[in-house]
Amino acid sequence: MRRIFGINKTGIPNGSKSDIWLLGVCYKVVQDDDPSIEPTQSEGFSAFVDDFSSRILVTYRKGFPPIGDSKYTSDVNWGCMLRSSQMLVAQALLLHRLGRSWRKSLDKPHDQKYVDILHLFGDSEESACSIHNLLQAGKTYGLSPGSWVGPYAMCRTWETLARSKREETGNADMSSLMSFYVVSGDEDGERGGAPVLCVEDIVRHCSDLSNGEVDWIPVLFLVPLVLGLDKINSRYLPLLAATFSFPQSLGILGGRPGASTYIVGVQDDQAFYLDPHEVQPVVDIKTDKLDIDTSSYHCNTLRHFPLDSIDPSLAIGFYCRDKSDFDDFCIRASKLVDQSNGAPLFTITETRSSPTAVEYNDRVTSNSGVPELDSFDAVGPGESDGGRPEDEWQLL
């Protein structure tokens, strides 16, 4: 089958022996004790493939109930941004509910939490994160069946959908909450420049959503960016690659014009991605059916493309489970700002009135900073999880 980026590329780009970063975890494909072993035969590569194939794949579907009052029963040729964003949010929910070290098991019955997450992305109004509900929530931002949508509108749509679901369900259980927060620039980005993440605003956001009952609730940060005109400005490429070393990384919504994908990892100048452009029949995921076939929600083929071919309009995602996780994220992001030569992806400030970015770098330690842009320092697979507790959850 012809892939959206041309030739179906698999395996390691050009036989590279460089480390692979996948959503905050580093995999060494060359063994120090025996560098003669081919990268694809290494334990590190095997662990990477296991991790990659455990990420949730969401693709075009056909045969679902009509969307709203339309006659659309498939999203083929127009729903790729919606599907890519569903994959990013699904990864956030995997982190939130099952932890970064979770891997899909071949055994049945499946884990109940895993099936519950898949159910959220079913293709009907009954599923909270369905394409049906996203299109309804995104009407204000121009979303409609049959029309393509950009990253900024997609991020705002998720924020709106989460708000509507919160109003429907209330905040009965503080341990279940996960919120969405879109990071934008001055006047919602209309003045241009790098988006600004204000710590004071985030703290208030968490307090407001919990009605003051807790100081922090888990947050999914979405950062929509425009990093060039027709082509991405090359000065941003090392910064984008470095974000995959953050333990909080949820990857990137991006691709080529009109062809969105979910980018989950990098090796050298290549990006690994999950492709939503395959058309599959609808699967009815029931939460009480733990033996259901979920193979269509996972990908066993590695695909990659040059990072410099990404569309300049994209969005980055991060998940911060608790305040210490957020502080660590701020440290890493602030160091990345310092390495940006005056052109950061986004900045962090303590308050809206702060004249300069918050100084987190004084607290950077040897094990909490981001790697230098020209080389990534490796950590073992799974070590980035940090033993963070698993939570029950609901969308906010």
Side-chain angles (χ1 to χ4, degrees), residues 203-261:
V203 172
R204 185 183 304 111
H205 170 80
C206 292
S207 177
D208 290 346
L209 289 182
S210 68
N211 296 319
E213 294 184 30
V214 296
D215 295 329
W216 184 267
I217 57 175
V219 181
L220 190 172
F221 292 100
L222 295 169
V223 189
L225 299 167
V226 179
L227 303 178
L229 298 176
D230 296 330
K231 182 177 176 61
I232 190 168
N233 189 320
S234 61
R235 70 190 303 175
Y236 294 112
L237 296 175
L239 303 177
L240 286 176
T243 63
F244 288 97
S245 70
F246 288 27
Q248 302 82 11
S249 171
L250 292 176
I252 297 174
L253 299 182
R256 291 181 177 175
S260 176
T261 63

Side-chain angles (χ1 to χ4, degrees), residues 76-247:
V76 176
N77 296 329
W78 58 269
C80 57
M81 176 60 72
L82 291 154
R83 299 304 190 178
S84 299
S85 74
Q86 286 177 317
M87 287 190 263
L88 187 149
V89 174
Q91 173 59 19
L93 292 172
L94 285 177
L95 278 175
H96 186 60
R97 188 117 196 247
L98 293 167
R100 185 61 183 87
S101 61
W102 178 84
R103 301 292 181 268
K104 181 180 180 295
S105 173
L106 298 177
D107 300 328
K108 294 181 181 179
H110 297 298
D111 186 292
Q112 180 68 63
K113 296 176 181 179
Y114 162 68
V115 174
D116 288 346
I117 291 172
L118 290 185
H119 172 73
L120 287 173
F121 299 93
D123 294 297
S124 71
E125 293 180 1
E126 295 178 359
S127 296
C129 301
S130 68
I131 193 171
H132 297 65
N133 289 325
L134 282 168
L135 289 168
Q136 177 63 33
K139 285 183 176 180
T140 302
Y141 300 100
L143 271 68
S144 63
S147 298
W148 199 80
V149 58
Y152 177 82
M154 196 71 255
C155 292
R156 287 298 183 191
T157 293
W158 277 105
E159 189 178 52
T160 301
L161 177 62
R163 185 185 307 115
S164 68
K165 294 301 177 183
R166 181 175 70 249
E167 292 171 352
E168 289 178 12
T169 61
N171 298 342
D173 180 5
M174 286 300 104
S175 68
S176 69
L177 305 183
M178 185 183 83
S179 69
F180 287 70
Y181 190 93
V182 177
V183 180
S184 61
D186 292 338
E187 295 185 4
D188 210 16
E190 292 184 2
R191 290 187 179 179
V196 179
L197 192 159
C198 176
V199 175
E200 183 180 62
D201 288 349
I202 299 302
V203 172
R204 185 183 304 111
H205 170 80
C206 292
S207 177
D208 290 346
L209 289 182
S210 68
N211 296 319
E213 294 184 30
V214 296
D215 295 329
W216 184 267
I217 57 175
V219 181
L220 190 172
F221 292 100
L222 295 169
V223 189
L225 299 167
V226 179
L227 303 178
L229 298 176
D230 296 330
K231 182 177 176 61
I232 190 168
N233 189 320
S234 61
R235 70 190 303 175
Y236 294 112
L237 296 175
L239 303 177
L240 286 176
T243 63
F244 288 97
S245 70
F246 288 27

Side-chain angles (χ1 to χ4, degrees), residues 215-327:
D215 295 329
W216 184 267
I217 57 175
V219 181
L220 190 172
F221 292 100
L222 295 169
V223 189
L225 299 167
V226 179
L227 303 178
L229 298 176
D230 296 330
K231 182 177 176 61
I232 190 168
N233 189 320
S234 61
R235 70 190 303 175
Y236 294 112
L237 296 175
L239 303 177
L240 286 176
T243 63
F244 288 97
S245 70
F246 288 27
Q248 302 82 11
S249 171
L250 292 176
I252 297 174
L253 299 182
R256 291 181 177 175
S260 176
T261 63
Y262 177 37
I263 302 172
V264 295
V266 290
Q267 183 187 40
D268 298 326
D269 61 351
Q270 298 289 308
F272 291 97
Y273 67 96
L274 292 172
D275 186 0
H277 294 89
E278 179 179 356
V279 184
Q280 301 189 89
V282 165
V283 177
D284 187 14
I285 300 290
K286 299 291 188 183
T287 57
D288 59 347
K289 301 292 184 181
L290 301 184
D291 59 349
I292 191 170
D293 180 8
T294 64
S295 58
S296 68
Y297 284 93
H298 296 275
C299 180
N300 293 318
T301 301
L302 296 176
R303 297 184 175 91
H304 54 84
F305 67 96
L307 188 59
D308 64 5
S309 68
I310 192 174
D311 190 291
S313 182
L314 52 88
I316 313 176
F318 302 97
Y319 168 79
C320 294
R321 181 182 298 276
D322 50 37
K323 186 58 164 62
S324 63
D325 201 16
F326 176 66
D327 289 342

